Amino acid sequence: MSTPSDLRDKLRKKRRALQESLGKVKDDTQALVPSDSDVTKENERTAVEKLTGRGDDPGETLRRSLKAQRMKKKKKLLEEMSMEGPPEEEMVNEEITAVQELQHDQEEHSVETLAEEGRSVRLQRDLPPLPVARADSSLSESSMRQRMREKLRVARSKAASLLQQEASLEQPSHLRGPRDRETLTRFDRETDLDVHEEESSFAARVKFRDAARKATRDKRTETGLPTEEEAYKFFTFNFDPEPQESRRKDRAKKKTRSTDDEENEGEEDEEEEEEETGRARAREGEDESRERDEDAPLVRDEEEDLFIIDQSAKDFLELKKADYIGYNRRVLREREIFFTPSTRPVPASCKLPENVQPRYLEDEGLYVGERPPVALSNQNILENRILKEDGGKKWFGDDGRILALPDPIKESSSRPPLYHLEEELDPALQTVYRKPLKSKYVNRYIAGVGDTQGDYQLDVDVSGLIFSHHPLFSKEHVLGARLAQLYDQYLSRQHKNLTCLLTDKLNGLRNTIRNMLELHSGEGISHVTQQRIAEYKQEVRHTRQLRDTEQEKDRTLLKSIIKVWKELKSLREDKGCTNTPYKLYIRREEIQRALDEQEQEAEILAEVAELQAESEEDYERKLNEYKRKHEEWKSWKKKQKTLKKKQKQRRQQSQDVDEEEEEDEHSEEELGEEPVKPEAPEKPDIAGLEQQVREKAAKIRRKPGEPVLVPELTASNPITPNEACPRGEISRREDVSKRSLFVKVLYNDKEVSRTDSRSLNMDFRVHFGQIFNLKIVNWPESIKLQIYEGVSSSSSLIAEVCVPVPESSVLTGSTPSEELEFSSNQRVTFNHEGVGSDVPVSFTNDGSNIQTLLTSGKLSCCVSWAVGEDDIPLAPPSTQHGAGMHSGLRQMDAIACIGASGLNDMKRLGKWAAESRLDPNDPNNASIMQLLSVASGGEVVAPDYFRLEQLQEEFNFLSDEELERSRRFRLIRLRSQEEPEFRNFKTIPATEREISEKVFEEYDRRLKEGEVIDTKEHIDAHRALVAKYLQKVRESVINRFLISKHHYILSDLVVEEEVPSIGGPGQGVLGLNLFKLAEPKRPLKPRRKERKKVTAQNLSDGDIKLLVNIIRGYDIPIRKPHTSKPAAGSKGARSYTETFTAASTSQTALQASEWPLGQPVIRPFVEVSFQRTLLQTSTAEGPNPCWNEELVLPFSAPNGDYSTSSLQAVRDEVFISIFDEVLHDVVEDERERGSSVHTRIERHWLGSIKIPFSTIYMQSRIDGTFKLGTPSVLLGYSKERSLGSEGGYDAIRSLSEGTFLTLFITIEPQLVPGDSIREKMKDVKFDTQEVERLLLACEIFEKDAGQRYPDRPCVTTVVDINGKTVFITRFIRPLPPPQELLDAFPNNSQEATELVVRYVSLIPFLPDSVSFAGICDLWSTCDQFLTLLAGDEEEHAVLLCNYFLSMGKKAWLIIGTAIPEGPTAYVLTQEQNRYLIWNPSTGQYYGQHDTFCPLQTVGCLVNADNVWFNIQLYATPIRMSFDVTKPKFWKPFFSRSFPDPGLSSVQPEDLVYRRTDKAYAAELQDRIEKILREKIMEWRPRHPTRWNRYCTSTLRQFLPKLEMSGGREVAEEHRLELQSLLGDYRISGFPLHLPFSEIRPIIEAVYSTGVHNVEAPNVEFALAVYVHPYPSNVLSVWVYIASLVRTR
Amino acid sequence: MTSPNPSVFLLMISGQIEGAQFPEYDDLYCKYCFVYGHDWAPTSGLEEGISQITSKGRGSTQSLVWNFPLDITFKSTNPFGWPQIVVSVYGPDTFGNDVVRGYGAVHIPFTPGKHTRTIPMFVPESTSRLQKFTSWLMGRRPEYTDPKVVAQGEGREVTRVRSQGFVTLQFSIITKDMKKLGYDTTSGEQAPATRLAGTEQPYRS
């Protein structure tokens, strides 16, 4: 690099040169500006720009005085700087300065800095600006400056980048990037720079500043930048020598560039370039970039001269308006670029060649296919577009339309229909399943590709090809080629010189034999030696034969060469021209005749001698053979004779025996074949032998003394030039010259490259000499070379050559190129001299010697693996090279392991190894030997099993036993199995030691329960067994339904609006909602809002509350005065009619007499207990109280699991009990009576209702009036009502007896009931034995019913306990009830019926939804039901219905809904034109018109024959008809169109009842009593519990009576009895009647009565239990409990 | 507080729902909640949240920015049921009805440090064209019964969804006592670094 001063000088020079050329540039700008401005600019900047044009003159003047001024300025600046230049300024400089300083002369730098600072100082003095001074010149200058700044910036950045390159330092100027959008040439900038320096005279500057300020201000107002004042302050406080820096950068730039120039080009170039830039600018003017150019300088100015501050973010941002090009302008511009084909039809004349009329083929009667439909506009567009293109007309047919094939789409399917319902599928169309095949190229990627060393490269070297025959061969060529071929053959033979070798070998062998014989001199030849000699002789013979054939070949070859040459010569003469350069010379090598003859003679003699010896040997051998055979033959003959004799004898003896005959035949067969009689061998003819040898020698060898002929083929013959050739030949040659050839390289059947096409030479050799480097990713499968021959533009495939994939050891550079032969069987004929291909050609003039030649030749090429730069072969490792063999297989392919790929045949390998006599001790062969030993020992055994996850063992970090033992894993596993104990187990401890064994205790116990029956819990062994069985059924059913539980349907996951249907019940979203919109709003008629349903997932304890609204009660028993009279006579015989009317009236009468009106006879309140929470209402008065209170009970789910399934499994029940609040005056001291009130509150249980939570959950609300479960006897109370007040209402009410309570129960918030599973169950198909047709009909029936009456349950199929779908009528079948029940009242069918009903109701109730947690409703048959002794409404109803049927009643099963059970089953009977509705689980019956019948809707009726669906208007029993024969009211399932197919029942023929075990019942009775006693004492921890034995024994006597009467109407009698016995006790008590299932419900029931709560000090208790056994272990449990308070 | 034998490990998550890319929609807000297994319990922080409504920037970037903070600490004994965050995005449709614009879920990263996750969002599709139309008309598009559904696989096979956009979340994860309980979530190379960072080692008695 030159010194700075040099550079500077250069720069100066250059600048001067630039100055001179500036004028031109200026003019350019001037010229451009006006045109530009009037087109686009509408803002203020345009004005500035206009001024620029006018202000050119001052710029020129300034330019002229540039040099002087600058010198002056510098001096001035220096002076100023010395006065006030603060040294910090340099520090403020950006890094860029520092960078440049590295390059710059220090002194100069400082001068420059000062200069700039001086300017900035002056600038300060300029302020405040003169707004008036808006002179043209200054403005022009400003705009000039602006532009200059722009350029400057570019230059700066460029300089910086240059610097960066040079100094490779961090370069901050890139920050300016955004500004440097204007990519102008650097020379431009230089010219401007000069101007800038010129104009830096002081006066001009002042003006200029003003103008600049103006512009700035304008700009500011636009952009919202700080006001002038702010700016002023801003500027005065900080200044920055940044402009100077930029200038310095220019310098630097120039300097650096000038250094470049020095090296590269002269300065003159720059001037030229500058002109170019001038032009560039001119062009630029057209562009929109001009805009940027114009507005940018304003900012620049500010920055450089006004904002002498550090660059802030604002400086880098440029704010400007978005570019907008006027629409018309844009359209104009786009028109130049775009072509928009019009949609107008193209006139036919454009589409056809000139003066051609369109020709319509249809009109000419030709068939023209239907064209595919194309929109006319699209077609027009296409035509327009095509016409625009070159040669577009070829797309149009004769008729002026676009050429089109007929519409390929067939209207009807061309494929034969595949599925015929009945017929077998056409075997040809049968689907064939094939095993999946791995894609060919999957896993064929070479491992490690993509790694650095992983790129493999194949070099395919296509060096050239030679045709051995080509269609364009002339005959001479054919011959020439044959000659050449023969000569090649000759040469190669000569090279191998086999004849000579074999002769030598023969001689050597002969010598050895001779030597051996001589050595032993004929005597004492050992056996070994003899053997060896024989071997040698054999060898000699073999070698001799070989030599003879070789010699013969040599001879014939030579002959044929000469023959072909002769033919060639004659052909040349014939044609008169020469096409091939071949010329054969034959050299003659004279040999000494005598010697030669001698040698030959000796040879012949030796041969003859050998042959003689051999033939003698042969004769000997044959003779021996003959002798042996002859002997055999003789012996055979003898045998034959003897045999024949024997046979004859036998035949004479026994002719009848078949077996023997067979034997005979057999033996005959054995001897049947007669050996050929051997013939004696001939003696060898010695003389003949010699003759033979001589003849042969004459044929295959030179004649003795004949010179040796050595052919020599040269290509020296001159070829006749074209002019001298005959015409045919000329045209052939022309044809040849037209041909060109190229070779395509195909890798894995994909073309990867092709050679250049080379023209065919006269000698039919093509040289390509091209090497293709293939970077490969896939394993090489095949490499193919395809040879194409082209005439002019078209080309055709001649032949394909497969190149073997090289071994990985084959590397480029070390491999010779191979010659691969190819041939083609294309038939080619010519009408010129070319012989063609696959065409018979005759080579002689007479037409004989016809040959058919095929195009063939040799392609010389070479495929090898490339060698990398550092001599690393770019070949994949050889072990991987298995041509896509699977890695797993490769392990077994031992041969591949040793690298001998391709040798897959074990036998062949063995053979090869044996033949080649491998040295077993050579370590190189070790692997092969090993392999062979394996091979000889048997096949290489590949494992004949297949193992999945063979690495599983590796991952087992623990043995299974250990894993089993781990408590933590057990816990996790059990939780995952959703065992009930662990279902929601939270936070399983992290470590083993934190888990105690206790966690599992409960679970283990439950598991054990399976085997051991816990008698304590179940009391009854049978019950325990049943419970166990139930448990098992439950488990199996749960497992069966687990799938369906986890089977989701869309509505479970996605909330979606229903499909809107117009009208229709329920969800006519569109129809109804539209009407609703039109409906007027009626604020006084509030609508019931649907409560929002809450999914149970995100709930926690305390979120759910049970709301129980107690509204009112009816007919609550009233207290009785102590002094009561004996009741009216007992009711012995009753009838149904009586029970409803007579009973109550009698009581009414009784009561009326006893109580005066208006006396408070009872103070009832309601207590609700749920989950051990007790809440009670306030106390009301009277037998028909009204509470109207809401009780809120909290609900908590078990384990805090609020999922639907767990909520459904909640077994808790809501107990709603009515108590009487009895106040006892307990004031002991009579004197205090006046002043204080001492009362004891006693509560007496009157009755209760229990509602299972599951019912509430499923129903979501329970609303209605319910009958209270009252004890049949209430001591101290009478079930009588006051008449007077409610006379009119009494009539209706009296229809039924009992106490009633009106309730409303719901859950807050409303939970989504878990019926979704039930819904889903419909989707899940169960196993079934029903006919498909029936099921289909069921589906249709149910669907239809559901659509018409969605609120009426319709059941046609049910799921039995085995999880199979069964048609419902199959469950109905008359079944006899236990005989003893019928025998109990032999005369009174009424009583018997009631007993049967009672029996059924005594079977414990167990809802399905509890046992099979919300899975589905299962129906069990009656025998299953009786065995299980548990079931829900359906089972009870079915059993009762069956009993009724067997008792000769007309009975139906009612499927409907009731309160509080929800969907349920009742039984309907027809008795004397009245319908009775039986509740099977309570044993209650109701008349059809009973108001308090819990049955709310009747869905369908079922009997053994049919199912009827209720299609009446109303579904409540009161308002409907039960006459199923009326099709208007009932829709039968089996009708005339679908008759009953005669379904057999699933019920057993007969029920087997076990005898009741009285002793067992007594035992159970004792145990229950004992347990209850203990419990009551337990519940009274603070008080002593005394038992009144007398009372107890009395009560015990009553209980059987109660049982006998069915709990009815015995009350009065025994109450009186009691009264008499315990006159001085105030008794309150009642008998509880329960079916027995477990002891727990009994305890619960006793607890809920609250008898134990009596806290009077002198209270005594009485408890009696009676268990009455019924057949089949149905037990009726009576618990009589009473509290006695002594009144005295 | 450091015990030599901890029984739980802690996972502290702080981060934010940075923003979303929903090219077609504007004025969106999002809800988040965490789904975790039985062995997990949040010890502090908010399990659920709902963000402000954000509008698209005026600029060229079409992203919606919430920068809605997440801060929650879980304790657990078992990595099974590792928490997932479920984000659901809602916004008004053409008629101003609030409809769901996307559901998405992602596991909380388990390595300590800062992580950015972009989760693709999707919404369930209507079952039929007609329903699609009516749901569009009525502004009641199909929604999941529970957004937490998207964090689990069960039952998803019955739904069809359409992808909507992306939500970007940023997490800063701190774990405590994971390694002591035998769960090493850091990779081998980072192990020395974390050992340096974790101060548990010296205090071990």
Side-chain angles (χ1 to χ4, degrees), chain A residues 18-29:
Chain A
L18 288 171
Q19 275 166 28
E20 283 160 20
S21 65
L22 183 75
K24 271 183 264 167
V25 183
K26 281 284 164 188
D27 288 337
D28 284 348
T29 8

Side-chain angles (χ1 to χ4, degrees), chain A residues 625 1139 1151:
Chain A
E625 183 84 347
T1139 27
Q1151 183 254 333

Side-chain angles (χ1 to χ4, degrees), chain A residues 542-688:
Chain A
H542 186 68
T543 318
R544 200 179 58 230
Q545 272 165 12
L546 275 177
R547 188 205 55 183
D548 287 353
T549 48
E550 288 300 320
Q551 273 178 337
E552 195 175 355
K553 274 182 194 164
D554 279 352
R555 187 95 184 145
T556 45
L557 189 61
L558 196 62
K559 272 183 187 166
S560 54
I561 287 175
I562 291 164
K563 190 181 160 230
V564 169
W565 173 238
K566 276 178 184 160
E567 274 181 276
L568 190 67
K569 271 204 285 190
S570 69
L571 194 70
R572 279 179 184 167
E573 276 165 22
D574 274 3
K575 298 280 169 187
C577 65
T578 314
N579 288 334
T580 46
Y582 298 116
K583 191 165 186 172
L584 189 76
Y585 295 98
I586 295 179
R587 245 180 325 129
R588 220 178 256 258
E589 281 178 20
E590 288 297 336
I591 303 168
Q592 284 184 338
R593 199 184 173 98
L595 195 67
D596 196 36
E597 266 174 20
Q598 217 175 345
E599 270 178 23
Q600 293 228 351
E601 193 57 41
E603 174 67 45
I604 286 166
L605 284 177
E607 205 175 317
V608 167
E610 275 166 23
L611 280 175
Q612 269 175 359
E614 275 166 27
S615 54
E616 263 166 35
E617 259 174 52
D618 211 28
Y619 174 70
E620 287 288 313
R621 212 175 54 237
K622 278 182 183 166
L623 204 63
N624 288 342
E625 183 84 347
Y626 164 72
K627 277 174 186 164
R628 193 174 51 79
K629 280 193 176 166
H630 196 72
E631 281 300 307
E632 276 177 21
W633 182 75
K634 269 183 182 170
S635 64
W636 182 82
K637 274 277 179 195
K638 269 181 196 170
K639 270 188 198 168
Q640 189 84 345
K641 274 176 188 170
T642 48
L643 264 175
K644 273 180 182 171
K645 273 177 196 167
K646 273 184 192 173
Q647 275 172 18
K648 271 178 190 172
Q649 285 167 357
R650 271 189 208 167
R651 258 175 221 166
Q652 283 160 2
Q653 283 165 6
S654 56
Q655 282 182 336
D656 303 333
V657 188
D658 292 344
E659 291 172 16
E660 280 179 36
E661 261 185 335
E662 277 171 28
E663 253 180 49
D664 290 346
E665 279 167 15
H666 190 66
S667 57
E668 264 182 341
E669 265 175 46
E670 268 187 2
L671 293 165
E673 43 188 286
E674 188 180 314
V676 188
K677 193 182 173 186
E679 285 170 31
E682 285 172 31
K683 271 239 164 193
D685 176 16
I686 308 293

Side-chain angles (χ1 to χ4, degrees), chain A residues 1056-1073:
Chain A
E1056 193 181 15
E1057 287 286 296
E1058 295 278 330
V1059 184
S1061 58
I1062 296 165
Q1067 60 259 38
V1069 176
L1070 260 192
L1072 287 182
N1073 282 9

Side-chain angles (χ1 to χ4, degrees), chain A residues 1109-1114 1116 1163-1167 1176-1190 1217-1219 1268 1299-1303:
Chain A
N1109 221 327
I1110 315 285
I1111 297 158
R1112 59 185 300 177
Y1114 303 105
I1116 292 166
R1163 292 167 57 79
F1165 67 91
V1166 178
E1167 190 184 78
Q1176 63 182 60
T1177 62
S1178 57
T1179 312
E1181 288 195 351
N1184 296 308
C1186 181
W1187 292 283
N1188 212 359
E1189 274 185 49
E1190 187 180 83
S1217 317
I1218 298 186
F1219 290 91
L1268 222 52
T1299 308
F1300 296 89
L1301 197 63
T1302 308
L1303 286 173

Side-chain angles (χ1 to χ4, degrees), chain A residues 48 61 75 113 129 238 403 410 412 419 450 563 728 859 992-993 1094 1123 1191 1227 1262 1295 1360 1418 1427 1499 1578 1640:
Chain A
V48 176
T61 47
K75 271 181 202 161
T113 320
N238 304 302
L403 292 171
K410 289 188 182 168
S412 61
Y419 299 105
K563 190 181 160 230
L859 178 73
E992 185 87 350
R993 64 190 140 76
V1094 176
T1123 52
L1191 304 174
V1227 179
I1262 284 173
L1295 284 173
D1360 73 357
L1418 296 178
T1427 321
E1578 198 181 294
R1640 200 176 59 86

Side-chain angles (χ1 to χ4, degrees), chain A residues 748-772:
Chain A
N748 287 355
D749 290 334
K750 270 182 245 166
E751 183 185 333
V752 287
S753 57
R754 57 169 78 178
T755 60
D756 302 334
S757 82
R758 299 278 162 93
S759 58
L760 192 63
N761 284 338
M762 279 303 158
D763 54 358
F764 293 95
R765 284 167 188 266
V766 182
H767 178 74
F768 294 110
Q770 279 183 298
I771 299 173
F772 301 102

Side-chain angles (χ1 to χ4, degrees), chain A residues 120-143:
Chain A
S120 53
V121 168
R122 255 177 279 132
L123 187 141
Q124 286 162 35
R125 265 181 258 145
D126 289 345
L127 299 168
L130 301 166
V132 206
R134 208 181 213 204
D136 281 3
S137 61
S138 63
L139 276 171
S140 78
E141 273 172 33
S142 80
S143 79

